[in-house]
Amino acid sequence: MTDIAKVCNDILEFIDQHDNYLITTHLSADGDAYGSALAMAYFLESKSKQFTIVFHDQEKEEKYDYLWGWSLINPYCDEKDYHFDAAIIVDVPSRSRIGNPAQLLPSANHCIKIDHHPEEDELAILNLVDTAASSTCQLVYEIISRSDVEISHQLATLLFSGIMYDTGRFSFSNTRARDFEIAAHLTSLKVNPSEVANHLFFNNNVESFKIIGYGLSNIETFLNGKVCVIFLPYSVMQKAGQLDIEELTNYSLAVKGVEVGLFIRQVEPDFIKVSFRSKGKVDVNKVAKVFGGGGHVHAAGCRTNGDPLELRDKIIQEIEKQLP
Amino acid sequence: MTDIAKVCNDILEFIDQHDNYLITTHLSADGDAYGSALAMAYFLESKSKQFTIVFHDQEKEEKYDYLWGWSLINPYCDEKDYHFDAAIIVDVPSRSRIGNPAQLLPSANHCIKIDHHPEEDELAILNLVDTAASSTCQLVYEIISRSDVEISHQLATLLFSGIMYDTGRFSFSNTRARDFEIAAHLTSLKVNPSEVANHLFFNNNVESFKIIGYGLSNIETFLNGKVCVIFLPYSVMQKAGQLDIEELTNYSLAVKGVEVGLFIRQVEPDFIKVSFRSKGKVDVNKVAKVFGGGGHVHAAGCRTNGDPLELRDKIIQEIEKQLP
């Protein structure tokens, strides 16, 4: 039995032995976090287990409302009297990235973790952590496909969504043959790839395009074109409000000769959010960590205070250290 | 034996029996046209057959130069004395969409056609035409995988490129489980999906982003948001030159509630090019045909003379006929 098969079986046994689960994930949950958390919830429901899904985020992203279980997700609430026998932690490498729901975790020997980020904190007694996996949803698929739970259309859509999201539509450097194999299986279970893509990627507001247009027309390159920066100042971010302008992150990398793309937005006058993308030569997880963030080799993020253009220059200096 | 298997075997037999082939495809060859034409060329080379690849286009698109055989593609030349025993016609439904190389075709009983567009002209005695196929490269895969030619890394990259291109990174409504199965096989043969995606989709010039930015910031919607139009006037198109701004086609559809996206560019003061995209409810092949173009239900194009805004309004009227 391979390691992954063994851990999957251990996790299935653990789940059989416990009830009343907390399911949680990282701050600013993304497509893979929603997909993997809800797929595990679906699995627990199929097993007639009790569960509560708690995300740090106070606002759920509406674009994920097509997913089974979206309405079951709760934001963390200070005043609630939570009690859990066990927890399933998905798509998050560290306690700090969980946010408030971390306070609700039972002791590590009552926790399972499923993730594809480099592990930072030991949170669980059972860990299916594979940094080579495209997505946490891929790993959840490895578990559930070994169980006696049938993969329904709803469950297949959850798993497919996470894989499609985290591989950037099968285009990022984490995409492997295994992802296509799983996608073939899930599509044969009537998942509609274009419907999922429409929800995840083609669901923009016309107003968000005006902001994206602004970002693109002000794109800049550094280090002989190896680094591409899209910057939205506070004046533009105020107009952006809750609009989805994340596609600019991918655009920052979509330039010939660019190795690293940065999407920097000045969310508040003194608060900056940065998304990092790499074509592979530069480990942007390392770079993001210098600024208190993290993620993967090819995709990472950080949030910090200060002046955005000073920050930009410091980030570029960090990237330069990794370039030949 | 299924129909497709039978036609594939007939095609393999035909290829064994002929030599000295013309390979051609449609005007303004795209990723699937390059991929399928060059994959068939690769196949003929493996079989030690003679072949000449002739495209109508005088300029080859540089972004496809990573593909095996790119340098073997010739533009049609009036003065050359061509002679062919047979022809392989890929990814094109009609004689008129081939352009000049159509003059070189031997009689239909010496021709094979492989395509996924609705057939318009009978050009060949043997036709592997499947409008449900995502791409012509998928069909070429069905043929070659039944032959004794091993799928090398180069050949796998050709086939994968066409599938990835025509499914819009596995996101258009033509994407099926079969595409993922083939992609899994090709990726296991060391095709690198992110490298291919970088060539096909993430290889922009910074200057092209300024144009794309212009297009996005001037986006307009019609018919209660069901139709989205991105229009580049001649003044902007002059700046665009040979820059790749085709991504605007996909953006025209990437809006919440939109059924049809139009990307209209005024290439010359009196010459307009339109790309149509549909989420599925409207057959844009039908719409494009009204204006002398064509394509698929979900993706089509046309080129015509006249005033771009008058044309836009006429196109919107045609779309309206198909909307409930």
Side-chain angles (χ1 to χ4, degrees):
Chain A
M1 192 151 53
T2 63
D3 274 2
I4 281 188
K6 187 183 174 319
V7 179
C8 288
N9 288 336
D10 290 348
I11 286 176
L12 291 171
E13 237 171 73
F14 178 101
I15 289 173
D16 278 340
Q17 289 161 3
H18 294 74
D19 194 21
N20 196 12
Y21 284 86
L22 165 70
I23 298 176
T24 193
T25 185
H26 61 79
L27 302 165
S28 305
D30 60 8
D32 191 30
Y34 275 93
S36 55
L38 295 176
M40 287 310 294
Y42 190 99
F43 182 70
L44 293 180
E45 174 119 321
S46 304
K47 290 271 181 189
S48 303
K49 301 285 181 180
Q50 305 288 315
F51 65 87
T52 307
I53 314 166
V54 185
F55 284 12
H56 174 89
D57 315 308
Q58 291 301 307
E59 297 269 345
K60 283 186 280 192
E61 267 203 66
E62 291 231 354
K63 76 170 168 182
Y64 299 116
D65 69 359
Y66 71 101
L67 294 171
W68 178 92
W70 184 83
S71 61
L72 303 176
I73 299 169
N74 306 291
Y76 174 84
C77 169
D78 252 343
E79 288 152 30
K80 222 164 163 181
D81 192 20
Y82 293 102
H83 174 75
F84 303 108
D85 301 330
I88 300 177
I89 308 160
V90 295
D91 202 39
V92 56
S94 65
R95 182 171 285 273
S96 66
R97 289 280 298 149
I98 295 173
N100 286 330
Q103 302 166 44
L104 309 178
L105 289 178
S107 65
N109 60 356
H110 290 266
C111 294
I112 300 169
K113 196 174 85 165
I114 310 163
D115 192 20
H116 68 133
H117 300 85
E119 186 153 17
E120 292 172 21
D121 298 345
E122 272 187 44
L123 297 167
I125 190 162
L126 272 174
N127 293 278
L128 180 55
V129 175
D130 180 0
T131 55
S134 68
S135 53
T136 299
C137 274
Q138 188 222 309
L139 297 170
V140 171
Y141 175 90
E142 306 298 357
I143 298 168
I144 295 181
S145 62
R146 284 175 170 84
S147 79
D148 54 3
V149 168
E150 209 189 324
I151 301 185
S152 68
H153 175 252
Q154 290 170 319
L155 180 52
T157 300
L158 290 168
L159 296 170
F160 187 91
S161 295
I163 294 172
M164 184 176 240
Y165 183 91
D166 257 21
T167 58
R169 295 155 63 198
F170 304 95
S171 295
F172 295 154
S173 55
N174 58 345
T175 313
R176 299 175 309 167
R178 183 67 181 146
D179 298 301
F180 290 116
E181 280 168 22
I182 297 171
H185 181 209
L186 299 174
T187 308
S188 76
L189 300 171
K190 307 272 177 264
V191 167
N192 186 324
S194 80
E195 270 179 33
V196 172
N198 283 343
H199 284 294
L200 293 179
F201 301 104
F202 305 132
N203 208 8
N204 294 284
N205 183 296
V206 173
E207 292 311 309
S208 72
F209 272 138
K210 315 251 172 194
I211 313 274
I212 289 172
Y214 175 92
L216 290 180
S217 49
N218 290 287
I219 200 163
E220 285 185 292
T221 60
F222 299 87
L223 302 180
N224 288 324
K226 293 241 180 334
V227 177
C228 187
V229 178
I230 295 175
F231 169 55
L232 298 186
Y234 182 56
S235 58
V236 176
M237 285 302 294
Q238 275 178 302
K239 281 184 227 156
Q242 293 304 311
L243 294 172
D244 189 1
I245 51 174
E246 292 305 305
E247 188 67 12
L248 280 172
T249 305
N250 295 329
Y251 261 127
S252 71
L253 196 65
V255 172
K256 201 168 182 158
V258 160
E259 282 301 328
V260 178
L262 301 177
F263 174 30
I264 304 176
R265 44 274 201 221
Q266 191 175 17
V267 181
E268 299 288 340
D270 188 44
F271 181 60
I272 307 148
K273 210 175 141 184
V274 186
S275 296
F276 302 73
R277 288 290 181 275
S278 168
K279 280 193 181 148
K281 281 188 193 155
V282 174
D283 179 347
V284 289
N285 181 33
K286 254 192 200 167
V287 179
K289 277 195 179 157
V290 174
F291 303 94
H296 305 273
V297 172
H298 69 279
C302 76
R303 292 140 180 265
T304 183
N305 298 66
D307 177 76
L309 297 182
E310 269 175 34
L311 176 69
R312 178 195 71 189
D313 294 344
K314 280 185 197 158
I315 292 173
I316 291 169
Q317 280 167 26
E318 284 301 319
I319 293 166
E320 195 170 16
K321 290 180 191 169
Q322 286 192 49
L323 284 170
Chain B
M1 192 150 56
T2 63
D3 273 3
I4 282 188
K6 188 183 175 316
V7 179
C8 289
N9 287 336
D10 290 348
I11 286 176
L12 291 171
E13 236 171 74
F14 178 102
I15 289 173
D16 278 340
Q17 289 161 2
H18 295 74
D19 194 21
N20 195 12
Y21 284 86
L22 166 69
I23 299 176
T24 192
T25 186
H26 61 77
L27 301 165
S28 305
D30 60 9
D32 192 30
Y34 275 93
S36 55
L38 294 177
M40 286 310 293
Y42 190 100
F43 183 70
L44 293 180
E45 174 119 322
S46 304
K47 291 271 183 189
S48 303
K49 301 284 182 181
Q50 304 289 316
F51 64 87
T52 307
I53 314 167
V54 185
F55 284 13
H56 173 89
D57 315 307
Q58 290 302 305
E59 297 269 345
K60 283 186 280 193
E61 268 203 66
E62 290 230 354
K63 75 170 169 183
Y64 299 117
D65 69 359
Y66 71 101
L67 294 171
W68 177 93
W70 184 82
S71 60
L72 303 175
I73 300 169
N74 307 290
Y76 174 85
C77 169
D78 252 343
E79 287 152 30
K80 222 165 162 181
D81 191 20
Y82 294 100
H83 175 74
F84 303 107
D85 300 330
I88 300 177
I89 307 160
V90 294
D91 202 39
V92 56
S94 65
R95 182 171 285 273
S96 66
R97 290 280 299 150
I98 296 173
N100 287 329
Q103 302 167 44
L104 310 178
L105 289 177
S107 66
N109 60 356
H110 290 267
C111 295
I112 300 168
K113 196 174 81 163
I114 310 163
D115 192 19
H116 68 133
H117 300 86
E119 186 152 17
E120 292 171 22
D121 297 346
E122 272 187 45
L123 297 168
I125 190 163
L126 272 175
N127 293 277
L128 180 56
V129 175
D130 180 0
T131 55
S134 66
S135 52
T136 299
C137 274
Q138 188 221 310
L139 298 170
V140 172
Y141 174 90
E142 307 297 356
I143 297 167
I144 294 181
S145 62
R146 283 176 171 84
S147 79
D148 54 3
V149 168
E150 207 189 325
I151 301 186
S152 68
H153 175 251
Q154 289 169 320
L155 180 52
T157 300
L158 290 167
L159 297 169
F160 187 91
S161 295
I163 295 172
M164 184 177 240
Y165 184 90
D166 257 20
T167 59
R169 296 154 63 199
F170 305 95
S171 295
F172 294 154
S173 55
N174 57 346
T175 313
R176 299 175 309 167
R178 183 67 181 146
D179 298 300
F180 290 117
E181 280 168 22
I182 297 171
H185 180 208
L186 299 174
T187 306
S188 76
L189 301 171
K190 307 271 178 267
V191 167
N192 186 323
S194 79
E195 269 180 33
V196 172
N198 283 344
H199 284 295
L200 293 179
F201 302 104
F202 305 132
N203 208 8
N204 293 284
N205 182 296
V206 172
E207 292 311 309
S208 73
F209 272 139
K210 315 251 173 195
I211 313 275
I212 289 172
Y214 174 93
L216 290 180
S217 49
N218 290 288
I219 200 163
E220 285 185 293
T221 59
F222 299 87
L223 302 180
N224 289 323
K226 293 241 180 333
V227 178
C228 188
V229 178
I230 295 175
F231 169 55
L232 298 186
Y234 182 56
S235 58
V236 175
M237 285 303 293
Q238 276 179 301
K239 282 184 228 157
Q242 293 303 310
L243 293 172
D244 189 1
I245 50 175
E246 291 306 305
E247 187 67 13
L248 280 171
T249 305
N250 295 329
Y251 261 127
S252 71
L253 196 65
V255 172
K256 200 169 183 156
V258 160
E259 282 300 329
V260 178
L262 302 176
F263 174 30
I264 305 176
R265 44 273 201 223
Q266 192 175 15
V267 181
E268 300 287 340
D270 189 43
F271 181 59
I272 307 147
K273 210 175 142 185
V274 186
S275 296
F276 303 73
R277 288 290 182 275
S278 167
K279 280 191 181 148
K281 282 187 193 155
V282 174
D283 179 347
V284 289
N285 181 33
K286 256 192 199 166
V287 179
K289 276 194 180 157
V290 174
F291 302 94
H296 306 273
V297 173
H298 70 279
C302 76
R303 291 141 180 265
T304 183
N305 298 67
D307 177 77
L309 297 182
E310 269 175 35
L311 176 68
R312 177 195 71 189
D313 294 344
K314 280 184 196 159
I315 292 172
I316 291 169
Q317 280 166 27
E318 283 302 319
I319 293 166
E320 194 170 16
K321 290 180 191 169
Q322 286 193 48
L323 284 170

